[in-house]
Amino acid sequence: MTTADARTPASKQNDGTPDGAIPDDGAGKSIGWHKGYVQGSRPDLRVPVRQVHLTNGKDVTLYDTSGPYTDPAIDTDVRRGLAPLRENWIIARGDTEEYAGRPVRPEDDGVKHTSPRGGLRNLDAVFPGRPRQPRRSRDGRPVTQLAYARRGEITPEMEYVAIRENVEAEVVREEIAAGRAVLPANVNHPEIEPMIIGKRFLVKVNANIGNSAVTSSIEEEVDKMTWATKWGADTVMDLSTGRNIHTTREWVLRNSPVPIGTVPLYQALEKVDGRAEELTWEIYKDTVIEQAEQGVDYMTVHAGVRLPYVPLTARRKTGIVSRGGSIMAAWCLAHHKESFLYEHFEELCEILATYDVTYSLGDGLRPGSIADANDEAQFAELRTLGELNSIAKRFGVQTMIEGPGHVPMHKIKENIDLQQEICEEAPFYTLGPLTTDVAPAYDHITSGIGAAMIAWWGTAMLCYVTPKEHLGLPNRDDVKTGVITYKIAAHAADLAKGHPGAQEWDDALSDARFEFRWEDQFNLALDPDTAREFHDETLPAEPAKTAHFCSMCGPKFCSMKISQDIRRQHGGSQEEIEEGMAEKSKEFAAAGNRVYLPIAD
Amino acid sequence: MTTADARTPASKQNDGTPDGAIPDDGAGKSIGWHKGYVQGSRPDLRVPVRQVHLTNGKDVTLYDTSGPYTDPAIDTDVRRGLAPLRENWIIARGDTEEYAGRPVRPEDDGVKHTSPRGGLRNLDAVFPGRPRQPRRSRDGRPVTQLAYARRGEITPEMEYVAIRENVEAEVVREEIAAGRAVLPANVNHPEIEPMIIGKRFLVKVNANIGNSAVTSSIEEEVDKMTWATKWGADTVMDLSTGRNIHTTREWVLRNSPVPIGTVPLYQALEKVDGRAEELTWEIYKDTVIEQAEQGVDYMTVHAGVRLPYVPLTARRKTGIVSRGGSIMAAWCLAHHKESFLYEHFEELCEILATYDVTYSLGDGLRPGSIADANDEAQFAELRTLGELNSIAKRFGVQTMIEGPGHVPMHKIKENIDLQQEICEEAPFYTLGPLTTDVAPAYDHITSGIGAAMIAWWGTAMLCYVTPKEHLGLPNRDDVKTGVITYKIAAHAADLAKGHPGAQEWDDALSDARFEFRWEDQFNLALDPDTAREFHDETLPAEPAKTAHFCSMCGPKFCSMKISQDIRRQHGGSQEEIEEGMAEKSKEFAAAGNRVYLPIAD
């Protein structure tokens, strides 16, 4: 694996600032870590990695989602947006064309012509980056990674993720072609660094951002997106429901190195001023096209919430908790008609296929409490999602399936097993699940438990939950806590699944721990800043970073130290150690043979 | 269930202060919650509960570990200690006697006669509470709950926990008699509110406290103990390794409403100035008696670390990480002798039986990294623990078994299954396990995942892990975070095990959530303070606490609101709602019948 050399100071990952001098250990390699690239088969195919440099001279290569922001060699500017990494790949395929596109209207930002306040909060809000025309399929045929994979083509995007996942490109193509994995990559979002979602690959994490009618601004949302990817978010969903939805999304898309997901229904609802019954297929379709032209990579569509299922929620403890689900339920009941999303699903497939927008079939009837888990309403919808999954595949649209929610541990496995069976192994994308309802303010933990388990059993992507779930909108700290918690769940699952290479990371950190290489422990940690900060709280002095003891036992006695003494006592090299110890153990052969059958004894 | 009426203001649980006016809703019942008591078969048997008063007039009764500190009717003073609740029960049994006891020596507090500093840091440190003489078995026969249970006696302690667990007293007696549960209750710790540890009961949580050679004071440790029990710790282990070990433990014991555990080996090591090879059976035995006379309820004994097993750790990534384990390994190798704990185990059983000290057989060879999980060294020791468990039972000593450690998810179940088989279903008491090594500063989460799973599968008590694990000593906030995280894991397991009544708590909170009873949500939460604080961050205004929407969706649209509108739309009462909805669903009978077999369709 060859890596380019975009040097980055150790401090950089820690304070997240793009500038600052680059410390050097003199050996010509930056201290701590640097952003590296793995060169693919073509000059413009370079896969970013995080190269951690250990004080013992070794390197550890980690998956990197942070985008160009952590590469000091690249000058980023949120007002300009990221470089269109994939543009040439898309053009080279020759199956898309630029076109005028749908004109942006004030109501796209939730502004009525009659609005006394008029326009955007401030004109600066309009994205000032390079002008662009939307792109779509030249002839209406699917321009999706699924279509290419079925044709046997290995696209640059597929090669890119193969390098990222450290597998053969053919494996990536097969999984996509079979519908067991998705590679969300709208032709109008050339800025992304391709990633893949499927059970044969590393478990991914999504972070939600988005303003609401109640709080927050465009700047905050763009910052939350870069912040979330810095800590490891593989995709980001913009769930904005307030004003400036269109403009906020434009800023997010143009600056995002990861796929962006949305729930078009939220914006559609804003266009009818929050009155669900006034929604129409036309308004919804127009919103989908608006977002597809901007470059949204995957869309949550609640087409599984059918009128006949709504009564099934009457006996529930918490009814319908999915916002999209309840919007569609309200519409269905107001008109006593079948869902317009279900009725127009094939037409929707045709639209998504021409931009390569990936379906995330929403679970609008997911349980919102332990009491409602795995009930009739939930599984009735899941069966319909299976039906819709088959239709989407027929139209060449990449598809993943969303899952719950609130589920006690003993009912989790049934969710993934049923979904895999009903949806022909389409990637499962779950929210948690939360394993208890009694800990508001700690739902990142109640759900991190369920997330780790369901990911071990086959869920491909986990939607994070922050400490603010059920209580308020997450701030910067909540986003970080949510992402870190879910990276833990995802990696724990990668280990349990025996994902190739997953354990190397744990082993490198454990070696550093055993050898008291504190700086290496910090640099290998999911969150180096906090690890270093916690250590320094108890033992602030610099020497403590090289001390062969820690604050738990203190200098007088340390278990790690004893283990090392035991080794030393039996010679230097690993070989000598084992010989020496084997020697000692021979002395107790009798006992040694006995202790393996103490009970029979 | 009758409950006495020790009123407590809602604010009390929140700020933890014993004073402050008691707000009243006018209905003669305090707002939020109050400390109640369930009356047992005798006047002096009153079991504390937390009575949460909901704004809809209903009450929810929760398990309460906080002790007299949360009862405003009781005047507590850490300098005086808690009232000896069990004293009369112990005396009434007539099988124990007071005696002079072992004189306390300076070295018990780590002070050498030759010490230039001499004595304690300050004389105030000596516990000023009522003078007491230690108590022990009158005739050397076991005075353990196990012995009583085997004789068919239901002690007041057993009745107490039966009420707490909401089961028949006979069930408690049977589980203890069979060795499937322990009721740690040293005759010298009459202050405790009895609790039980066993897989048929609620999963329990232990919090570790203790100063070290490096930091912290007596005051801090006593405060950490009351703080930990306030948030739900069922037992507390004092792992002090620094100075004033004896005196710190005295303060902790006299003020603790929960059983206290220790690792006597730590203090014994201090007595030989940290030189493991200088340890002797006599010094260790003397330390065990010292602690038993003070009232330690359970002791971790690393008698399973046998000389022949030490070489098995040579190939490990992180060797021996248990402090007690490495101390014994060092001793074994220094003398090339079998462990003095293993050799003198029967004598130790005789001592513990005369005070009713419960064994916690330590897993000194537990894995300290993902790489070392479930290895030969770990399971060789576990088989020896099974052997020792049988011996302890023969001597009438209550026994639980300690477990790992660091274990990836797919290797967790093997741990509990093997332990239950080898140790005849003795209670398993596990540390986590941590499911990955890559997240220092978040090991409460990496381990909370493993803890929830292993508890679901049968672990009886979980030893908490704080965010400072591997990095430093936990402060007050870390202790709270560790306890809350582990209460989540324990309750998630109670739900998954289908523990009777466990889900009522979740249901009550989910009802409150669905009906926008914010104050009820806060008061029912594991951590009311933080839940309220997070809500107020986004929606500070008082009206927001009664608003029928939250900050996620805002006033214009709310999924919970829609669900309620759906109900209203179909009539008032639950019956009418369901009729109304059934009516609607009939209109779609055809589709209704179809949707249940969409794929076959």
Side-chain angles (χ1 to χ4, degrees):
Chain A
M1 181 186 270
T2 65
T3 69
D5 227 36
R7 296 283 175 74
T8 308
S11 65
K12 177 162 180 180
Q13 168 71 357
N14 304 337
D15 58 21
T17 56
D19 50 9
I22 300 177
D24 197 295
D25 61 7
K29 191 198 274 176
S30 62
I31 294 166
W33 72 283
H34 80 277
K35 179 117 175 178
Y37 293 91
V38 181
Q39 185 61 56
S41 65
R42 43 192 292 172
D44 65 351
L45 202 160
R46 297 165 69 237
V47 179
V49 291
R50 173 179 168 88
Q51 291 280 111
V52 181
H53 311 304
L54 306 183
T55 55
N56 64 4
K58 290 179 188 156
D59 267 21
V60 177
T61 302
L62 301 177
Y63 193 103
D64 177 40
T65 61
S66 62
Y69 302 102
T70 50
D71 184 344
I74 298 177
D75 166 36
T76 57
D77 174 358
V78 292
R79 299 179 60 81
R80 193 175 63 237
L82 296 176
L85 170 69
R86 297 167 52 234
E87 194 167 50
N88 295 333
W89 306 348
I90 295 163
I91 292 170
R93 286 193 275 263
D95 54 0
T96 56
E97 64 185 3
E98 289 190 327
Y99 68 110
R102 170 191 174 284
V104 178
R105 311 192 192 92
E107 52 266 42
D108 298 345
D109 272 322
V111 182
K112 295 267 166 299
H113 289 293
T114 58
S115 165
R117 292 170 54 198
L120 296 165
R121 279 188 191 136
N122 52 7
L123 281 176
D124 295 350
V126 176
F127 182 72
R130 65 192 167 82
R132 53 176 289 277
Q133 275 204 317
R135 181 175 287 281
R136 69 181 171 198
S137 167
R138 180 184 299 281
D139 54 13
R141 276 182 302 176
V143 294
T144 65
Q145 296 290 322
L146 172 56
Y148 306 142
R150 283 175 172 169
R151 290 207 297 264
E153 290 173 28
I154 290 176
T155 62
E157 288 87 347
M158 295 177 202
E159 180 189 344
Y160 193 103
V161 300
I163 293 170
R164 264 188 135 166
E165 301 274 345
N166 205 4
V167 299
E168 292 303 314
E170 178 56 20
V171 173
V172 171
R173 190 200 63 75
E174 275 171 17
E175 291 298 300
I176 294 173
R180 286 189 299 264
V182 295
L183 195 162
N186 184 325
V187 295
N188 291 307
H189 195 197
E191 296 90 347
I192 60 165
E193 296 171 346
M195 52 78 69
I196 191 162
I197 303 165
K199 63 183 173 184
R200 279 192 64 176
F201 306 102
L202 290 163
V203 175
K204 303 306 188 294
V205 171
N206 171 73
N208 293 332
I209 61 169
N211 66 351
S212 85
V214 177
T215 83
S216 91
S217 73
I218 291 177
E219 293 74 5
E220 284 174 57
E221 299 315 314
V222 173
D223 175 69
K224 275 186 202 166
M225 178 276 293
T226 53
W227 182 243
T229 54
K230 166 182 158 65
W231 291 109
D234 296 284
T235 75
V236 167
M237 287 193 80
D238 177 1
L239 304 183
S240 295
T241 60
R243 287 210 153 202
N244 307 339
I245 291 183
H246 180 98
T247 305
T248 302
R249 189 169 51 235
E250 188 68 24
W251 280 84
V252 169
L253 280 161
R254 301 286 75 84
N255 286 289
S256 174
V258 302
I260 297 297
T262 62
V263 184
L265 195 61
Y266 290 1
Q267 185 180 12
L269 185 72
E270 295 300 319
K271 291 179 179 177
V272 293
D273 210 20
R275 287 185 284 270
E277 65 278 12
E278 289 183 16
L279 283 166
T280 64
W281 162 246
E282 289 65 31
I283 290 169
Y284 182 84
K285 173 182 173 182
D286 175 67
T287 307
V288 167
I289 290 168
E290 169 191 353
Q291 299 194 6
E293 289 179 345
Q294 282 186 290
V296 170
D297 300 287
Y298 64 90
M299 297 181 185
T300 295
V301 178
H302 299 92
V305 180
R306 300 191 51 194
L307 181 55
Y309 304 160
V310 178
L312 301 179
T313 64
R315 280 177 219 74
R316 278 183 159 184
K317 190 156 285 291
T318 48
I320 301 173
V321 296
S322 151
R323 192 160 184 272
S326 56
I327 293 168
M328 290 313 298
W331 187 93
C332 290
L333 289 170
H335 299 280
H336 297 314
K337 276 210 202 121
E338 182 54 275
S339 157
F340 61 80
L341 292 177
Y342 182 77
E343 298 282 325
H344 293 270
F345 191 74
E346 299 199 344
E347 190 177 347
L348 191 55
C349 291
E350 285 171 351
I351 296 168
L352 268 49
T354 58
Y355 300 95
D356 198 4
V357 174
T358 297
Y359 269 123
S360 184
L361 296 179
D363 56 334
L365 301 183
R366 69 171 175 267
S369 57
I370 291 298
D372 295 343
N374 297 19
D375 73 353
E376 199 184 354
Q378 183 194 337
F379 288 150
E381 179 186 31
L382 179 57
R383 283 184 285 267
T384 296
L385 297 185
E387 176 190 356
L388 299 172
N389 173 62
S390 319
I391 295 169
K393 296 289 169 59
R394 213 167 64 228
F395 284 82
V397 181
Q398 303 191 82
T399 305
M400 53 185 171
I401 312 293
E402 296 185 8
H406 292 240
V407 184
M409 284 189 285
H410 64 299
K411 292 186 176 179
I412 290 176
K413 197 161 187 307
E414 182 182 9
N415 278 272
I416 175 74
D417 291 347
L418 210 53
Q419 181 272 341
Q420 287 290 291
E421 177 199 329
I422 292 174
C423 303
E424 297 163 317
E425 299 183 84
F428 204 24
Y429 169 30
T430 61
L431 177 68
L434 284 71
T435 55
T436 171
D437 303 335
V438 301
Y442 298 84
D443 280 330
H444 58 303
I445 296 176
T446 64
S447 67
I449 293 166
M453 293 170 72
I454 202 164
W456 166 29
W457 291 324
T459 287
M461 183 157 76
L462 302 168
C463 182
Y464 86 168
V465 171
T466 76
K468 290 282 169 64
E469 184 76 12
H470 298 120
L471 297 170
L473 283 183
N475 59 27
R476 217 164 181 271
D477 291 343
D478 300 317
V479 167
K480 176 179 172 180
T481 302
V483 171
I484 297 279
T485 302
Y486 272 66
K487 292 299 279 190
I488 288 169
H491 183 68
D494 291 333
L495 285 175
K497 286 162 68 175
H499 189 87
Q503 198 182 312
E504 284 167 26
W505 188 7
D506 300 73
D507 291 351
L509 197 141
S510 293
D511 283 334
R513 181 169 285 154
F514 188 68
E515 291 162 16
F516 299 101
R517 288 185 272 110
W518 290 99
E519 283 300 334
D520 291 347
Q521 275 190 66
F522 303 149
N523 290 324
L524 284 166
L526 255 178
D527 178 359
D529 317 19
T530 310
R532 187 177 277 102
E533 178 193 318
F534 282 2
H535 173 274
D536 293 0
E537 249 178 57
T538 320
L539 287 177
E542 258 320 301
K545 299 254 187 20
T546 54
H548 274 207
F549 65 89
C550 67
S551 54
M552 275 73 78
C553 304
K556 267 207 306 193
F557 188 89
C558 166
S559 59
M560 290 284 194
K561 195 156 168 305
I562 278 287
S563 292
Q564 296 181 334
D565 293 345
I566 290 169
R567 287 194 180 181
R568 262 191 296 281
Q569 186 175 344
H570 296 285
S573 76
Q574 183 61 23
E575 295 61 36
E576 290 171 296
I577 289 166
E578 293 178 20
E579 279 167 26
M581 286 213 161
E583 199 48 51
K584 288 277 159 296
S585 63
K586 284 208 198 76
E587 299 170 16
F588 304 89
N593 299 335
R594 241 186 82 258
V595 296
Y596 296 106
L597 300 154
I599 284 170
D601 192 54
Chain B
M1 182 185 271
T2 66
T3 68
D5 227 34
R7 296 286 173 73
T8 308
S11 65
K12 177 161 179 180
Q13 170 69 0
N14 304 338
D15 58 23
T17 56
D19 50 9
I22 300 178
D24 196 294
D25 61 6
K29 192 198 277 175
S30 61
I31 294 165
W33 73 283
H34 80 276
K35 179 118 175 175
Y37 292 90
V38 181
Q39 185 62 56
S41 65
R42 43 193 290 171
D44 65 350
L45 202 160
R46 298 164 70 237
V47 180
V49 292
R50 174 179 166 88
Q51 292 280 112
V52 181
H53 311 305
L54 307 183
T55 55
N56 64 3
K58 290 180 188 154
D59 267 20
V60 177
T61 303
L62 301 178
Y63 194 102
D64 178 39
T65 61
S66 61
Y69 302 103
T70 50
D71 185 343
I74 298 176
D75 166 36
T76 57
D77 174 357
V78 293
R79 298 179 61 82
R80 194 174 62 234
L82 297 176
L85 170 69
R86 297 167 52 232
E87 194 166 51
N88 295 335
W89 307 348
I90 295 164
I91 292 169
R93 284 194 276 264
D95 55 0
T96 56
E97 64 185 3
E98 288 190 327
Y99 68 111
R102 171 191 172 286
V104 178
R105 312 192 191 92
E107 51 267 42
D108 298 343
D109 273 322
V111 182
K112 296 267 164 298
H113 288 295
T114 58
S115 165
R117 291 171 54 199
L120 297 164
R121 279 188 191 136
N122 53 7
L123 280 178
D124 294 351
V126 177
F127 182 71
R130 66 192 166 80
R132 53 177 289 277
Q133 275 204 317
R135 181 175 286 282
R136 69 182 171 198
S137 168
R138 183 184 298 280
D139 54 13
R141 278 183 301 175
V143 294
T144 65
Q145 296 289 322
L146 173 57
Y148 305 143
R150 282 174 172 170
R151 290 207 297 263
E153 290 173 29
I154 290 176
T155 61
E157 288 87 346
M158 295 178 202
E159 179 188 346
Y160 193 103
V161 299
I163 293 170
R164 264 189 136 165
E165 301 273 345
N166 205 3
V167 299
E168 292 304 315
E170 178 56 20
V171 173
V172 171
R173 191 200 61 77
E174 276 170 15
E175 292 298 299
I176 294 173
R180 286 189 298 265
V182 295
L183 196 161
N186 184 324
V187 295
N188 291 307
H189 194 196
E191 297 90 347
I192 60 164
E193 296 171 347
M195 52 78 70
I196 191 162
I197 303 165
K199 63 183 174 184
R200 279 192 63 177
F201 306 102
L202 290 162
V203 174
K204 303 305 188 298
V205 171
N206 171 73
N208 293 332
I209 61 170
N211 67 350
S212 85
V214 178
T215 88
S216 92
S217 73
I218 291 176
E219 292 75 4
E220 284 174 57
E221 298 315 314
V222 173
D223 176 69
K224 275 186 202 166
M225 179 274 293
T226 53
W227 181 243
T229 55
K230 167 181 157 67
W231 292 110
D234 296 284
T235 76
V236 167
M237 288 193 80
D238 177 0
L239 304 184
S240 294
T241 60
R243 287 209 154 204
N244 306 339
I245 290 184
H246 180 97
T247 305
T248 301
R249 188 168 51 236
E250 189 67 24
W251 279 84
V252 169
L253 280 162
R254 300 287 76 83
N255 286 289
S256 174
V258 303
I260 297 297
T262 62
V263 184
L265 195 61
Y266 290 0
Q267 184 180 12
L269 186 74
E270 295 300 319
K271 291 178 179 177
V272 293
D273 210 21
R275 286 185 284 272
E277 64 279 10
E278 290 183 16
L279 282 167
T280 65
W281 161 245
E282 289 64 33
I283 290 168
Y284 182 85
K285 173 182 172 181
D286 175 68
T287 306
V288 166
I289 291 168
E290 170 191 351
Q291 299 194 4
E293 290 179 346
Q294 280 186 291
V296 170
D297 300 287
Y298 65 91
M299 298 182 185
T300 295
V301 179
H302 298 93
V305 179
R306 300 191 51 193
L307 180 55
Y309 304 160
V310 178
L312 301 178
T313 65
R315 280 174 220 75
R316 278 184 159 183
K317 190 158 286 290
T318 48
I320 300 173
V321 295
S322 152
R323 192 161 183 273
S326 56
I327 292 168
M328 290 313 299
W331 187 92
C332 290
L333 288 170
H335 299 279
H336 297 314
K337 279 211 201 117
E338 183 53 274
S339 156
F340 61 80
L341 292 176
Y342 182 78
E343 297 282 325
H344 293 271
F345 191 75
E346 298 198 346
E347 190 177 346
L348 191 55
C349 291
E350 285 171 351
I351 296 167
L352 268 48
T354 58
Y355 300 94
D356 198 4
V357 174
T358 298
Y359 268 122
S360 184
L361 295 179
D363 56 334
L365 301 183
R366 67 172 177 269
S369 57
I370 290 298
D372 294 343
N374 297 19
D375 72 352
E376 200 184 352
Q378 184 194 336
F379 287 151
E381 179 186 33
L382 178 58
R383 284 184 285 267
T384 296
L385 296 186
E387 177 190 354
L388 299 173
N389 172 62
S390 321
I391 296 169
K393 296 289 169 58
R394 214 167 63 227
F395 284 82
V397 181
Q398 303 192 82
T399 305
M400 54 185 171
I401 312 293
E402 295 184 9
H406 293 240
V407 184
M409 283 190 285
H410 65 298
K411 292 186 176 180
I412 290 176
K413 195 160 188 307
E414 183 181 9
N415 278 272
I416 174 75
D417 291 347
L418 209 53
Q419 182 273 341
Q420 287 290 291
E421 178 200 329
I422 291 174
C423 303
E424 298 163 316
E425 299 183 82
F428 204 24
Y429 169 29
T430 61
L431 177 69
L434 285 71
T435 54
T436 171
D437 303 334
V438 302
Y442 297 85
D443 281 329
H444 58 303
I445 297 176
T446 63
S447 67
I449 292 167
M453 294 170 72
I454 202 164
W456 167 28
W457 291 325
T459 287
M461 183 157 76
L462 302 167
C463 182
Y464 86 169
V465 172
T466 76
K468 290 282 168 64
E469 184 76 12
H470 299 120
L471 297 170
L473 282 182
N475 59 28
R476 218 163 179 270
D477 291 343
D478 300 317
V479 167
K480 176 179 173 181
T481 301
V483 171
I484 297 278
T485 301
Y486 271 66
K487 292 298 278 189
I488 288 169
H491 183 69
D494 291 333
L495 285 175
K497 286 162 69 176
H499 189 88
Q503 198 182 311
E504 284 167 28
W505 187 7
D506 300 73
D507 291 351
L509 197 141
S510 293
D511 283 335
R513 183 170 283 154
F514 187 67
E515 291 162 16
F516 300 100
R517 288 186 271 109
W518 290 99
E519 284 299 334
D520 291 347
Q521 274 190 67
F522 302 148
N523 289 325
L524 284 166
L526 255 178
D527 177 0
D529 317 17
T530 310
R532 185 178 277 102
E533 178 193 318
F534 281 1
H535 173 273
D536 293 0
E537 247 178 58
T538 321
L539 286 178
E542 257 322 300
K545 300 252 185 23
T546 53
H548 273 208
F549 66 89
C550 67
S551 53
M552 275 74 77
C553 304
K556 266 206 307 193
F557 188 90
C558 166
S559 59
M560 290 286 194
K561 195 157 169 304
I562 279 285
S563 291
Q564 295 181 333
D565 294 345
I566 290 169
R567 286 193 181 181
R568 266 191 294 283
Q569 186 175 344
H570 296 285
S573 77
Q574 184 62 21
E575 295 61 36
E576 290 172 296
I577 290 166
E578 293 177 21
E579 281 167 23
M581 287 210 160
E583 200 47 54
K584 289 278 159 295
S585 63
K586 285 209 199 75
E587 297 171 18
F588 305 88
N593 299 334
R594 243 186 81 256
V595 296
Y596 296 105
L597 301 154
I599 285 172
D601 191 55

